[in-house]
Amino acid sequence: MTSPSPHSEKSVLLSVRDLSKSFGGVKAVTGVSFDVREGELLGIIGPNGSGKTTLVNLITGFITPDSGEVVYRGRNITGLMPYRIARLGIARTFQMVRPFTALAAFKNLIVPLFSPRVKSLSGGRYGDRDAVAKDLLEEVGFERESSVTYKPAGSLPHGYLKRLELAKCLALRADLIILDELFSGLSIAELASIVPVIEKLVVEGKTVIMIEHRLRELFRIANRVVVLNFGTVIAEGIPSEVMQKDEVKQAYLGSED
Amino acid sequence: MTTKKRKERLDRGIKVRSDDIFALTSYREMLYVAVPSVLPVAVLLILPLILPTYWQKVLISTSVFAILAMSWDFLVSVGMVSLGQALFFGVGGYLAGVLDHHLHLPIWLTIPLATVLGGGLCTVCLVPVLRLRGIYFAMVTLVLPLMIERIIEATGFLGGTEGLTGLKPFPSIYAELYLIVAAMLLVLFAVRRMMSTDYGLVLRAIQENDRSVMSGGINIYYLKAQALFLGGCACSFCGAFMTHVYMFVGMPAFALDYSILPIASAVVGGMGTFAGSTLGAFILVPLSEALRGIGGLRTVIYALSLTVFIVALPEGVFHYIQRKYKQFERWVEVER
Ligand SMILES: Nc1ncnc2c1ncn2[C@@H]1O[C@H](COP(=O)(O)OP(=O)(O)OP(=O)(O)O)[C@@H](O)[C@H]1O
Ligand SMILES: [Mg+2]
């Protein structure tokens, strides 16, 4: 890699092929296909109920698709258990943040740090998990040695809970990080501190998929966006072009934030 | 302006292990920290020597129920609500019976073997339903022991309704007493220690949010199976132990009592600390024995006192005592 190559030349990390899932009569996701290239920051947008979270659940194994497949690094991972997919290096956050309330904030990270993936990546040893956890919290914007690090996660303000979710992905040392509405409910100041963390991830070579409603903030950092509506892809491309398309304008009509 | 008095509560703030400081400054503080664990242990070691025979028997069954309650409490804290501690208990009991009756093994082999095999057998039985959550898992555990009981009755398998009799006794009642008290203390301290390690922390996290644990790359089914094995071993030990105490094992080993009383103990004593479930057993089992004399109304009074405990101290007796012990109260003047 001597010269900076355009994204199209980088290898495909994750490939979603013709994925469908319905709940009873509700077709949550229908025939969705797209590729994510290594080192890319892909945005997935769409109105409420358009199937974004379902898509995340399908990729990470929390739901098995009715048809279609998910291929990661050339390997078909459809139907694998969520923990297996996580061990392959796909981490996710949950739209509904539910931390381990009774545990101190940094102790929440012990869970991913306890996984075999972390052990094998650090040469067969787990090391001092508490110290690693505190470092990770600092990375996502917990002030070093501040009391929030030690507070029970149940008592943390929303902004910190979101950062804690992100830190869990970092703890797993994932290669692909899927963030389900990480920005929702964050103040402008909190956004300003968390956006650089995500940009840094991409610089470090991680691949990121961001589900977002906060379009302005997303478009500033995303390389490419996929637009969902009623469970199907209605547009795909670079942010500024996608928003010019009529279908997208229509889908967002009235639900623009 | 009137001066009134108001009760003020303060935390004593003495901790042995905290996240980063370790500080015990005086003899008094050391006493303060040591008393809650040393005193009950001392009492439990002396009790077998001073109790009359009848209450020695009560101490034995109390300790057994304390272990069953801790096991239940442990499984709950890993997200598995069991309504069938009788399954683990009965399997352990019958295994010890079979090992003694058919293989003529000595008592110091039947009990450890029944403990481990019982834990393993129950885990194997329940692994297929580990994916069921909440009430579904609970229903399966409730039904299994009842089912086994009926199978034994119908087929005459394992001695049928007669059970297995003439099994080897313990050398003396003191051997029984000290073995079960020691086992109870071992379970209590071991499980408390384990739950404070990272392993225990991950186990507890499963109960709170299993999806989040899975997305951390952790095989929750494997961990739940491990927890089931540990909890099952503790109960199977009790079953095997009681088989040799009674020198008999029969269908009553799968009785509903062994499922329900541990839950009541954990709820009355307070869940999540294991000391609470132990304390609960030490309240309920002797209470139930003391009420034995009054005949028909026993169950009514028992149920009423259970309700009173739960309504008055919903957090559990242990949590209440612990809170009081860690606070001191004083009267302060309030200006109005
Ligand atoms: N477990 C489920 N059972 C039944 N229906 C579901 C389930 N999960 C999602 N749905 C339905 O599928 C559709 C897509 O939901 P999904 O949560 O994926 O949307 P979303 O794009 O994430 O929406 P939002 O922007 O509000 O988070 C909705 O109509 C929803 O009601
Ligand atoms: Mg969603």
Side-chain angles (χ1 to χ4, degrees), chain B residues 37-53:
Chain B
S37 49
V38 172
L39 195 64
V41 171
V43 169
L44 280 170
L45 292 180
I46 295 167
L47 269 184
L49 300 175
I50 56 173
L51 287 177
T53 317

Side-chain angles (χ1 to χ4, degrees), chain B:
Chain B
M1 197 198 282
T2 57
T3 311
K4 274 191 139 193
K5 293 221 171 186
R6 175 176 74 83
K7 222 184 214 175
E8 184 188 59
R9 298 201 177 103
L10 293 174
D11 266 351
R12 274 185 226 269
I14 304 173
K15 268 189 185 173
V16 192
R17 272 188 221 102
S18 78
D19 283 326
D20 43 8
I21 42 170
F22 185 97
L24 282 181
T25 45
S26 69
Y27 182 68
R28 275 191 57 160
E29 287 192 356
M30 274 171 66
L31 209 60
Y32 168 83
V33 171
V35 160
S37 49
V38 172
L39 195 64
V41 171
V43 169
L44 280 170
L45 292 180
I46 295 167
L47 269 184
L49 300 175
I50 56 173
L51 287 177
T53 317
Y54 176 74
W55 288 96
Q56 283 179 329
K57 293 283 182 196
V58 175
L59 178 60
I60 288 178
S61 63
T62 306
S63 308
V64 163
F65 277 109
I67 294 177
L68 297 181
M70 282 189 273
S71 163
W72 184 81
D73 198 1
F74 171 65
L75 292 180
V76 166
S77 55
V78 188
M80 293 179 281
V81 179
S82 147
L83 293 178
Q85 297 301 87
L87 172 69
F88 310 122
F89 183 87
V91 166
Y94 265 99
L95 275 170
V98 168
L99 292 171
D100 180 325
H101 190 261
H102 294 290
L103 300 179
H104 311 294
L105 293 181
I107 200 166
W108 54 268
L109 271 180
T110 57
I111 293 183
L113 280 177
T115 300
V116 178
L117 292 178
L121 201 61
C122 295
T123 310
V124 171
C125 286
L126 289 173
V127 156
V129 294
L130 271 189
R131 278 166 208 216
L132 301 182
R133 282 152 98 173
I135 194 73
Y136 303 101
F137 179 81
M139 290 311 294
V140 173
T141 57
L142 175 66
V143 166
L144 273 179
L146 303 176
M147 217 173 70
I148 296 176
E149 215 182 329
R150 294 283 83 84
I151 292 175
I152 291 174
E153 187 183 1
T155 60
F157 184 54
L158 296 170
T161 45
E162 306 284 301
L164 303 171
T165 50
L167 304 175
K168 292 181 202 77
F170 278 96
S172 77
I173 188 159
Y174 293 104
E176 294 172 7
L177 280 162
Y178 279 106
L179 176 61
I180 196 67
V181 166
M184 180 184 69
L185 291 173
L186 178 75
V187 171
L188 175 60
F189 288 104
V191 73
R192 278 175 68 90
R193 186 84 201 90
M194 185 178 81
M195 289 314 258
S196 67
T197 63
D198 283 354
Y199 177 74
L201 183 150
V202 174
L203 289 183
R204 275 183 290 154
I206 296 176
Q207 190 236 345
E208 181 150 16
N209 187 347
D210 54 351
R211 288 159 60 89
S212 179
V213 176
M214 271 195 281
S215 68
I218 284 170
N219 183 348
I220 62 166
Y221 305 112
Y222 185 47
L223 287 185
K224 277 184 168 185
Q226 290 174 3
L228 210 50
F229 175 72
L230 294 176
C233 282
C235 298
S236 287
F237 168 80
C238 293
F241 172 82
M242 287 313 283
T243 291
H244 288 289
V245 169
Y246 293 143
M247 296 177 278
F248 160 79
V249 60
M251 282 159 41
F254 288 107
L256 207 53
D257 269 13
Y258 294 113
S259 298
I260 301 302
L261 202 53
I263 304 179
S265 303
V267 171
V268 164
M271 288 159 60
T273 60
F274 311 104
S277 2
T278 308
L279 184 62
F282 271 79
I283 293 170
L284 291 186
V285 179
L287 177 70
S288 150
E289 286 302 326
L291 291 175
R292 209 175 268 283
I294 62 172
L297 283 176
R298 174 172 172 241
T299 322
V300 177
I301 297 182
Y302 188 68
L304 273 179
S305 41
L306 197 69
T307 314
V308 167
F309 268 121
I310 293 171
V311 172
L313 297 172
E315 56 183 337
V317 179
F318 180 77
H319 290 283
Y320 177 78
I321 296 175
Q322 192 181 35
R323 192 154 47 80
K324 288 294 164 197
Y325 188 74
K326 286 196 173 150
Q327 289 171 338
F328 58 90
E329 294 178 342
R330 63 179 179 198
W331 290 96
V332 289
E333 297 194 341
V334 193
E335 284 180 15
R336 276 276 185 98

